[in-house]
Amino acid sequence: MSIQEFIANKKMLDVEWRFSIATANSSKENYSDCFLQLKIKTIDKNMIEETTHFELTLAQFNELFTEIEKVKNLMSLIK
């Protein structure tokens, strides 16, 4: 399913998020990586609820945030 189909066919009910920093892993002693975990609960036209989990890197999160800001600005023009 494309993102356009996802948006057209579903309504967002809830969003949970968690920002994390990994400080170590099994292959590197000193490791530092930031990421954002999203849990999005949606409902479709048939009233079926679905929960989808995403994990974004810091760069992906920054890109998402920029797009959300654009949408916010466009919506403020509609009011």
Side-chain angles (χ1 to χ4, degrees), residues 27-40:
S27 64
K28 296 181 182 178
E29 281 186 32
N30 294 322
Y31 177 77
S32 179
D33 195 20
C34 300
F35 57 94
L36 181 78
Q37 295 175 326
L38 292 173
K39 182 170 107 176
I40 301 175

Side-chain angles (χ1 to χ4, degrees), residues 1-17:
M1 175 183 297
S2 72
I3 191 69
Q4 290 84 4
E5 291 171 325
F6 182 84
I7 292 169
N9 295 318
K10 296 180 186 269
K11 179 179 177 182
M12 189 180 311
L13 297 176
D14 190 33
V15 175
E16 292 181 27
W17 61 276

